[in-house]
Amino acid sequence: MALMQPSLATELDTASFARDGFLVVPALARAESVAGMRDAALDALHPLAGPAEFEADVGYPGAPLPGQAGAATPRRLLHAYARHSLFREWSTGARVAEVVRRLLGHSRVLLSQCHHNCIMTKHPGHSSATLWHQDVRYWSFDRPELVSAWLALGAETPANGALKVIPGTHRLEIDPTRLDDDLFLRPELAANGRLIASARTVALQPGDALFFSGRLFHAAGRNETDQVKLSVVTTYHPADNLPLPGTRSARYPSIEL
């Protein structure tokens, strides 16, 4: 797994991201910032302060159906940037900006308010699994040149549904027949099985940040622990990679870092 120190975005690290499609930056967020964001997220969950997406909305494996027990379990708290100053400071701050600019190779980088821009809230008991997918499947930009930052507000492990990635898949051109109707990898196909066999679980500690390409295939399991898992997830694009007018990607203005 590629690792990078917060102030040492070396050429080797950039090459590693280009090769693998992801990069982990240990302890990128300061402990006090992580604690503040975690408290803000928990406050927004109890009582629930919307807008939010619920497990029953997504219909992923293990998600309760509408009307069933757990259907109102939040999957993500939306509009993180506008929700609290702590999330704004993190998502547009100098530490994130330095990494994203180097990974995208652009001096002007913007935060998308339309994609991710949320606090992922994987609850015990009613959390669902996320199948293998690329985020660009539902993003509409001039180019698929986007990077997401996944900040752990607590430990992320296989037991609580840590993200899994398939290194190098951001460089592949996948035949559409290898995807199902929802653009997830079809695991029953041998070629897809070989890809999935090379997957890695990205274990994180509080304050660690995972940066990954919008074209990277990734997935996540269910939370089998008794504690909610909280992650701040934001997406960035170069200033010259614009959302297509009239699409979901252009619904809200992007924020320059």
Side-chain angles (χ1 to χ4, degrees):
M1 182 183 301
L3 299 177
M4 184 179 70
Q5 295 302 315
S7 60
L8 298 175
T10 66
E11 188 66 29
L12 177 62
D13 296 315
T14 304
S16 176
F17 179 83
R19 181 190 69 236
D20 295 334
F22 71 101
L23 188 72
V24 173
V25 184
L28 186 63
R30 295 184 175 90
E32 60 270 23
S33 177
V34 171
M37 284 187 277
R38 184 174 180 84
D39 287 345
L42 291 173
D43 287 346
L45 286 172
H46 307 291
L48 181 64
E53 178 186 66
F54 300 94
E55 287 288 355
D57 295 334
V58 296
Y60 290 163
L65 298 174
Q68 291 183 337
T73 301
R75 182 177 180 82
R76 64 180 79 184
L77 299 171
L78 303 174
H79 301 313
Y81 176 83
R83 182 177 282 273
H84 196 287
S85 61
L86 287 172
F87 300 122
R88 288 194 293 277
E89 291 164 5
W90 157 254
S91 61
T92 60
R95 290 188 167 202
V96 169
E98 178 187 359
V99 178
V100 174
R101 288 181 184 126
R102 293 185 184 230
L103 295 182
L104 286 171
H106 290 263
S107 59
R108 291 187 59 213
V109 172
L110 285 74
L111 164 75
S112 171
Q113 292 195 86
C114 301
H115 300 303
H116 287 135
N117 187 23
C118 68
I119 302 98
M120 295 285 188
T121 62
K122 185 160 285 193
H123 286 72
H126 299 292
S127 69
S128 59
T130 308
L131 303 180
W132 292 103
H133 67 283
Q134 298 168 300
D135 286 335
V136 290
R137 77 194 196 280
Y138 58 91
W139 295 350
S140 301
F141 283 77
D142 291 334
R143 308 184 304 276
E145 188 182 336
L146 298 102
V147 167
S148 294
W150 182 290
L151 173 68
L153 298 185
E156 304 208 3
T157 68
N160 66 7
L163 211 65
K164 297 177 286 186
V165 300
I166 307 179
T169 46
H170 66 303
R171 296 182 283 106
L172 299 181
E173 294 297 332
I174 300 292
D175 189 292
T177 61
R178 293 172 63 178
L179 307 174
D180 64 18
D181 291 342
D182 295 317
L183 302 182
F184 293 108
L185 280 178
R186 296 170 57 193
E188 73 276 11
L189 298 181
N192 290 345
R194 288 191 292 271
L195 275 184
I196 294 170
S198 67
R200 303 181 192 176
T201 298
V202 184
L204 301 172
Q205 292 301 311
D208 293 352
L210 164 68
F211 293 84
F212 61 101
S213 165
R215 286 177 53 84
L216 185 74
F217 275 96
H218 58 286
R222 300 183 64 186
N223 184 353
E224 303 292 350
T225 72
D226 60 0
Q227 299 292 322
V228 64
K229 182 168 75 68
L230 300 169
S231 320
V232 182
V233 191
T234 45
T235 298
Y236 304 87
H237 61 95
D240 64 353
N241 184 24
L242 300 177
L244 301 182
T247 67
R248 174 187 170 188
S249 298
R251 185 176 181 183
Y252 304 112
S254 294
I255 307 298
E256 186 161 3
L257 275 60

